[in-house]
Amino acid sequence: GFWRMVEVFDDCRIPAVLAINGSAIARYGAIVDAARQRGWEFIGHGFTQKNLQKVADERDDIRRTRAAIRAATGRNPRGWLGPGLTETWETPDLLAEEGYDYVCDWVLDDQPVLLNTRTRPIVNLPYTQEINDVAMMLIQHHKASEYYDRAVDQFDQLYRDGAGSARVLALVVHPYIMGAPHRLKYFRNALAHIGGQSGVLFWTGEQILEWYLAGRDAG
């Protein structure tokens, strides 16, 4: 399903954010190369797909993930999405201490928010369980068309909300789910609807972060 999704992103000229396990980088070289060639952003997603509460050494897991991404891309990741959105009480502190600038685990707003840690603040960027193919297809067992319906409805409301202050719509997809042949067109059509409205930007997490930080500095 990955290669079908690549075609959609290419056709729509949209950069993606690749949340990837550090251990997957060595195993899926062709995927890593394709993402790197397109300038996609790589963010940490744990070294393996394991609940962080069950990882023996969380700091080491975060460091190993960072090192794997740096080896593949030439730069450290700035963002982090915990496997299954899992965290411990220390996760935001450890991420800040290990050089990450944003996290996506806190599904609490449609705009970036600043989280205080024991050393320096870290930004939480909007993520979603609502426009998330795992929740919709694998847990709630909806038809494939539900992704389009919900993404469009979510966008239309946020677009109205954003008339006075920008909003962030996250679209969460996994190649083995929305990249399946019978589902892909609904993802493509959702992107077409969103991209057809004026004032809409398709940004990576890093771009959203820089916009948010620039706004705070200017304020």
Side-chain angles (χ1 to χ4, degrees):
F2 175 82
W3 303 107
R4 294 190 189 98
M5 299 198 82
V6 166
E7 183 178 347
V8 171
F9 285 114
D10 285 352
D11 289 346
C12 297
R13 299 182 180 180
I14 294 173
V17 177
L18 186 66
I20 188 167
N21 302 134
S23 60
I25 289 176
R27 298 177 184 176
Y28 299 99
I31 287 175
V32 170
D33 288 344
R36 186 177 55 222
Q37 290 165 8
R38 287 164 172 79
W40 291 7
E41 181 182 1
F42 286 64
I43 66 172
H45 194 46
F47 193 74
T48 61
Q49 191 65 22
K50 186 175 183 179
N51 186 325
L52 285 184
Q53 297 161 17
K54 298 180 179 180
V55 170
D57 187 335
E58 185 179 6
R59 187 185 295 275
D60 181 65
D61 190 274
I62 291 169
R63 285 177 173 174
R64 292 171 71 197
T65 304
R66 181 188 64 201
I69 291 176
R70 180 174 182 81
T73 67
R75 55 193 302 248
N76 288 329
R78 300 186 69 184
W80 176 272
L81 175 70
L85 298 182
T86 57
E87 286 193 352
T88 71
W89 294 111
E90 278 198 300
T91 303
D93 299 318
L94 295 174
L95 290 171
E97 290 165 12
E98 295 302 325
Y100 289 82
D101 296 315
Y102 75 86
V103 62
C104 304
D105 294 341
W106 296 68
V107 186
L108 49 75
D109 208 327
D110 302 316
Q111 296 178 314
V113 296
L114 208 60
L115 303 178
N116 290 325
T117 75
R118 61 195 175 199
T119 53
R120 64 180 180 89
I122 190 170
V123 175
N124 181 76
L125 292 189
Y127 188 74
T128 180
Q129 288 287 49
E130 299 298 330
I131 317 300
N132 187 318
D133 56 2
V134 169
M136 266 189 264
M137 304 302 156
L138 302 191
I139 298 174
Q140 298 166 353
H141 304 294
H142 285 293
K143 290 178 60 177
S145 58
E146 175 71 10
Y147 195 93
Y148 172 84
D149 293 340
R150 200 182 295 190
V152 167
D153 288 345
Q154 183 100 337
F155 168 78
D156 288 347
Q157 181 59 52
L158 290 177
Y159 191 67
R160 287 191 289 270
D161 294 345
S165 179
R167 298 292 191 274
V168 177
L169 170 66
L171 297 173
V172 180
V173 289
H174 299 74
Y176 72 98
I177 303 176
M178 289 310 292
H182 69 286
R183 295 193 184 107
L184 186 70
K185 70 176 182 180
Y186 298 107
F187 177 57
R188 181 189 289 273
N189 291 344
L191 292 178
H193 173 84
I194 294 167
Q197 314 307 310
S198 63
V200 172
L201 296 171
F202 288 99
W203 275 355
T204 64
E206 185 174 33
Q207 289 173 307
I208 297 170
L209 174 71
E210 291 297 335
W211 162 79
Y212 172 71
L213 294 177
R216 283 184 57 85
D217 293 342

